[in-house]
Amino acid sequence: MFIRSHLRPGGRRLAGARLATALTLATVTLAAVAVRAEEVVLRVGDQKGGNRSLLEIAGYAKDLPYRIAWSEFPAAAPILEALNAGALDVGYTGDLSFLTVAAAGAPIKAIGGTKSDPRTQAILVRADSPIRSAADLKGKRLAGTRGGWGQFLISATLEKAGIAPSEATFAPLNPVDAKVALMAGSVDAWAVWEPYVAFATLKDKARPIADGAGLTPTITFIVASDSAIATKRAALQDFLSRLNRARLWSLDHLDAYARNTAALTKMPEDVLRAAYTAQRTRPIALDEGVVKEVQDASDRATRYGILSKTLDVGRAVDRSFAAAASN
């Protein structure tokens, strides 16, 4: 015995169409879930008023083909520690700090960078100081960061002036303590960088008597973990390209850039504007010239005892990302 269907032929066709539509929607939904599951997440280390705010104010933080998980750090050193530990994919740091961890064998590479005017790293004295040039630093007490550009600039400046390291006293102090010590007269000079230079000259009337011209590369590296370079190359390339375009935007919008950073960091806007104007920070490709310049600085740092051993800078740099600097 046959059981007759209660569906007319047209009804059966409608039901079949509905079933096909449901299956299609289910397939699309599963595909969307799969795409979300495979979404690339770039873990980025930043500092307040750093790359995140630059990307946002320049308009390059939109329509990303990946997701950024931002982590804010108080300084570059913990960013490097997190990269070394595998907790971050990419971050940024000054050249000497990068060289220090690279020499220690950290699984990271520089993939891009920016360069500032080396004169914005300077040795400052008080307005009433009798010190007028590097030659006057003999026998003086000089403050700067140990193992950083403060110590490097002091060592390089003394060497250039023909003053032996033993003929001056190095006082290892962080920028905040060094400024207090300089203003109080407990040190004679202070080696530091922007925006501390602009703040001290504008607000405290300090005077620069030497700078990093011909001595320091003044490069900030964009640094990525070896793991991220191997597995998230496309995202890193896009991120670097956006940073470079944002940096070029900042050169033409220094007032807006300074105003935005001042609101985030509570640093005086006029100080930041002066610092940005003096630095003229621009993106660079990690070409042979840059590698040689940093290699020379690295060899100096080894000679000064800042780096524990000689480093082959070329092996610490991944130049396959160099094209991003011209985008």
Side-chain angles (χ1 to χ4, degrees):
M1 181 176 71
F2 294 96
I3 299 175
R4 296 183 60 184
S5 169
H6 293 290
L7 293 174
R8 293 188 176 91
R12 286 195 294 271
R13 286 195 297 271
L14 181 59
R18 287 172 176 168
L19 177 60
T21 300
L23 290 173
T24 300
L25 289 173
T27 301
V28 171
T29 301
L30 289 172
V33 170
V35 168
R36 286 196 296 271
E38 296 173 3
E39 179 185 36
V40 173
V41 178
L42 204 58
R43 301 170 300 167
V44 183
D46 197 31
Q47 298 179 57
K48 188 177 292 295
N51 286 332
R52 181 176 187 175
S53 62
L54 175 60
L55 284 175
E56 289 175 351
I57 189 176
Y60 290 107
K62 303 174 182 176
D63 303 320
L64 297 169
Y66 47 88
R67 182 168 65 84
I68 294 181
W70 293 97
S71 296
E72 187 176 292
F73 295 82
I79 291 179
L80 288 168
E81 291 172 4
L83 280 166
N84 187 35
L88 290 177
D89 296 316
V90 63
Y92 68 99
T93 182
D95 39 20
L96 189 55
S97 296
F98 167 68
L99 294 176
T100 300
V101 296
I108 61 176
K109 297 288 188 300
I111 63 170
T114 60
K115 186 175 179 62
S116 301
D117 190 317
R119 291 172 296 181
T120 56
Q121 293 191 33
I123 296 181
L124 306 176
V125 298
R126 294 196 320 180
D128 59 355
S129 173
I131 298 174
R132 296 294 169 182
S133 70
D136 298 327
L137 295 176
K138 186 175 181 179
K140 299 300 188 293
R141 183 173 172 82
L142 315 176
T145 51
R146 183 186 294 281
W149 278 120
Q151 183 179 358
F152 182 97
L153 184 57
I154 288 170
S155 299
T157 300
L158 292 177
E159 183 179 58
K160 184 178 178 181
I163 301 172
S166 59
E167 294 179 305
T169 301
F170 174 60
L173 295 172
N174 64 50
V176 174
D177 293 338
K179 177 191 170 184
V180 172
L182 180 67
M183 293 300 108
S186 55
V187 298
D188 300 295
W190 171 31
V192 74
W193 53 89
E194 294 289 8
Y196 297 104
V197 172
F199 194 103
T201 54
L202 286 175
K203 306 301 183 181
D204 301 309
K205 308 306 178 186
R207 291 186 291 106
I209 55 94
D211 58 49
L215 301 177
T216 63
T218 323
I219 290 171
T220 296
F221 282 122
I222 305 300
V223 183
S225 70
D226 289 348
S227 175
I229 291 172
T231 62
K232 302 179 181 180
R233 172 173 290 272
L236 287 173
Q237 179 76 56
D238 180 81
F239 179 69
L240 180 60
S241 178
R242 288 169 185 265
L243 279 179
N244 288 336
R245 284 178 283 166
R247 182 60 61 185
L248 292 174
W249 174 92
S250 73
L251 291 174
D252 294 325
H253 301 84
L254 290 178
D255 287 346
Y257 183 34
R259 185 163 55 250
N260 182 70
T261 309
L264 293 170
T265 64
K266 309 309 178 185
M267 181 76 73
E269 186 178 328
D270 61 335
V271 167
L272 290 171
R273 188 184 304 108
Y276 293 159
T277 300
Q279 286 176 304
R280 298 297 297 175
T281 302
R282 61 200 181 281
I284 56 171
L286 302 183
D287 57 20
E288 287 290 348
V290 169
V291 171
K292 183 182 184 305
E293 185 178 12
V294 177
Q295 184 67 63
D296 291 344
S298 177
D299 293 342
R300 277 180 179 263
T302 303
R303 191 168 74 250
Y304 299 153
I306 296 172
L307 294 182
S308 59
K309 62 180 180 180
T310 301
L311 174 68
D312 183 350
V313 173
R315 298 182 65 180
V317 170
D318 188 331
R319 293 176 57 188
S320 67
F321 290 86
S326 61
N327 288 351

